[in-house]
């Protein structure tokens, strides 16, 4: 069996410690550069503004309930909108602005809650008795699908929704 000498001279210990400190400094500098570049990458992510004009409002009472969705599942379920707004109705048309939106596919749902009960009221046949609308003015014969109402947002944009 071969004998290994595990003792180090003072000079060897200093060199080993210097090497550890040097490697630690290099690793730390590399980590700092990585974090700085990640920070600058996130600063480069461009966001957009979506202006939504809503017109053809028949009654000047209640509020507009507006929801912006970024995927078909949430849109269909009516849950987890990417953004939403409630604005009192005071005139026949309103302009709403959603800001800080990332690139992507979006769809907008809006209804005019005339009586303030936070529900889209319907008649006995299930036909809405309050105004409603969708992006792309989709949904001529019932609620619009995400596919029909969605649009691509790659820059600042403006859309118009006509209340029915």
């Amino acid at each position: 069996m071969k004998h290994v000498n595990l003792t180090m001279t003072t000079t060897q210990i200093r060199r080993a410690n210097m090497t550890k400190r040097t490697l630690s400094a290099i690793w730390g500098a590399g980590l700092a550069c990585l974090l700085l570049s990640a920070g600058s990458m996130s600063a480069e992510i461009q966001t957009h503004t979506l202006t939504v004009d809503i017109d053809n409002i028949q009654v000047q009472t209640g509020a507009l309930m507006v929801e912006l969705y970024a995927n078909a599942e949430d849109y269909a379920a009516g849950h987890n909108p990417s953004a939403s707004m409630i604005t009192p109705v005071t005139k026949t048309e309103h302009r709403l602005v959603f800001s800080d939106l990332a690139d992507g596919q979006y769809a907008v749902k809006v209804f005019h809650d005339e009586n303030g009960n936070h529900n889209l009221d319907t008649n006995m046949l299930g036909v809405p008795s309050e105004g409603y609308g969708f992006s792309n003015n989709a949904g001529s014969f019932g609620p619009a699908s995400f596919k029909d109402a969605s649009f691509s947002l790659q820059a600042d944009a403006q859309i118009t929704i006509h209340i029915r």
Side-chain angles (χ1 to χ4, degrees):
M1 185 168 193
K2 190 173 182 180
H3 177 64
V4 178
N5 184 2
L6 297 176
T7 60
M8 296 176 77
T9 66
T10 306
T11 305
Q12 289 173 322
I13 291 172
R14 281 190 200 130
R15 282 187 189 151
N17 285 338
M18 250 175 39
T19 302
K20 285 181 186 177
R21 283 192 301 270
T22 302
L23 289 174
S24 183
I26 291 170
W27 187 86
L31 181 60
C33 288
L34 180 64
L35 291 173
L36 286 173
S37 68
S40 67
M41 285 181 0
S42 66
E44 293 175 15
I45 294 174
Q46 191 171 16
T47 60
H48 310 294
T49 298
L50 173 65
T51 302
V52 180
D53 289 329
I54 302 170
D55 66 11
N56 200 35
I57 301 169
Q58 300 299 312
V59 179
Q60 281 68 61
T61 62
L64 292 173
M65 314 290 267
V66 184
E67 296 177 328
L68 176 69
Y69 292 92
N71 65 66
E73 294 78 25
D74 288 339
Y75 176 89
H79 296 294
N80 303 318
S82 297
S84 63
M85 287 189 193
I86 299 173
T87 189
V89 174
T90 58
K91 51 191 174 185
T92 60
E93 53 191 52
H94 283 272
R95 174 170 281 182
L96 304 172
V97 178
F98 294 95
S99 55
D100 296 324
L101 300 173
D103 289 352
Q105 287 292 117
Y106 292 94
V108 177
K109 290 181 179 182
V110 59
F111 82 88
H112 179 185
D113 184 18
E114 295 175 21
N115 59 9
N117 68 355
H118 300 282
N119 292 308
L120 176 63
D121 295 333
T122 59
N123 65 19
M124 293 184 325
L125 300 174
V127 176
S129 58
E130 295 179 309
Y132 65 94
F134 304 94
S135 44
N136 297 333
N137 292 302
S140 298
F141 302 103
S145 67
F146 183 81
K147 179 183 175 190
D148 291 342
S150 69
F151 55 92
S152 178
L153 185 67
Q154 305 296 317
D156 291 352
Q158 179 179 354
I159 64 171
T160 300
I161 298 176
H162 308 297
I163 295 293
R164 298 185 204 140

